[in-house]
Amino acid sequence: MESIRPLGRTLLRDRAYTSIRDAIVAGEIEPGAVVRDAELAERLGLSRAPVREAFARLVDEGLLESKPQSYTRVTQVVAADVRDAAAVVGAMHELVTRVAVPRLFAADIETMRAANERFAAAVTAGDVDEALRADDELHDVLVRVSGNRAAAATTARYTPLIRRLERRRFGEGGNCRSAGLHDRLIAACAAGDVDEAVRVTAKIWRGLAELADSD
């Protein structure tokens, strides 16, 4: 489990959460697997308290499920949950795109272009980790420029549910979205065409909802 490794003492609860979440999303801790706070605390070099707090947050976000005095385990990838998450995250991305496009600088557009080049190369190479990192970087430009903290927090909360299905599809030989759609989004952003940028953003996220429907 590459994501599970000893941590420093700063922000232990948050860092435990990030490490466990990333291991779940990457499939290092598989759906249905029982997780134990003592075991993960030892692997992370922590006490059990921050791990328990991380578990509670992951239960709230739908990546873990817990039965008191019985078990805590990784949830299955459920199409309806992914579809709901994609609808919420997509709506947030449409919102931030509408706000961000008029505020973008040339440097922001170049950051998006560079991210899409890495995304396309990673998809071709079959590198799912790099593809998803580049995808996040591209869309995060719009989230950041919009300045909408509520949208950013909502997106961060629900995106991991979607990523689990994207990773599985990618591993089965599927595609991680479309560099072509990204090109259209970037062109609209560069032209300051808010309506077109929002339309393309909606299409991108509808594609993820359809991915869940085909599961």
Side-chain angles (χ1 to χ4, degrees):
M1 298 182 186
E2 295 181 1
S3 299
I4 304 296
R5 56 185 182 274
L7 301 174
R9 296 188 61 83
T10 305
L11 301 173
L12 297 182
R13 175 184 60 193
D14 291 341
R15 295 179 68 187
Y17 161 79
T18 299
S19 293
I20 298 167
R21 180 203 63 194
D22 289 351
I24 292 170
V25 171
E28 295 171 15
I29 308 177
E30 297 181 350
V34 173
V35 292
R36 298 177 175 83
D37 55 6
E39 178 183 335
L40 289 179
E42 182 177 359
R43 293 184 67 89
L44 292 166
L46 301 174
S47 68
R48 294 168 69 175
V51 174
R52 285 174 177 167
E53 292 178 18
F55 279 7
R57 185 173 171 185
L58 290 162
V59 168
D60 185 54
E61 294 180 0
L63 291 174
L64 293 178
E65 57 186 359
S66 181
K67 182 177 180 181
Q69 308 302 319
S70 182
Y71 62 78
T72 300
R73 66 189 178 195
V74 178
T75 56
Q76 299 294 329
V77 178
V78 178
D81 292 342
V82 176
R83 184 169 56 250
D84 290 347
V88 170
V89 174
M92 292 300 99
H93 277 288
E94 290 179 48
L95 171 64
V96 301
T97 297
R98 187 170 296 281
V99 173
V101 169
R103 302 178 180 178
L104 292 169
F105 290 102
D108 298 318
I109 301 297
E110 287 307 310
T111 296
M112 294 173 73
R113 287 195 178 111
N116 197 34
E117 289 175 3
R118 292 197 304 277
F119 172 83
V123 169
T124 299
D127 186 345
V128 64
D129 291 320
E130 177 58 22
L132 294 179
R133 277 194 297 269
D135 184 74
D136 282 339
E137 183 175 338
L138 189 158
H139 291 283
D140 283 351
V141 170
L142 297 168
V143 175
R144 172 180 54 79
V145 171
S146 78
N148 190 320
R149 294 183 181 180
T154 302
T155 298
R157 173 172 179 166
Y158 290 106
T159 295
L161 289 171
I162 304 166
R163 288 300 194 222
R164 288 206 293 170
L165 182 58
E166 281 190 286
R167 282 179 173 277
R168 190 167 78 188
R169 281 287 185 257
F170 193 97
E172 294 169 352
N175 227 346
C176 276
R177 307 196 195 177
S178 165
L181 283 175
H182 287 162
D183 283 334
R184 286 176 54 191
L185 174 61
I186 294 166
C189 289
D193 189 337
V194 174
D195 290 339
E196 175 63 9
V198 171
R199 279 193 293 271
V200 176
T201 297
K203 186 175 180 62
I204 290 170
W205 291 95
R206 278 199 305 272
L208 286 174
E210 290 166 2
L211 188 69
D213 288 334
S214 67
D215 192 47

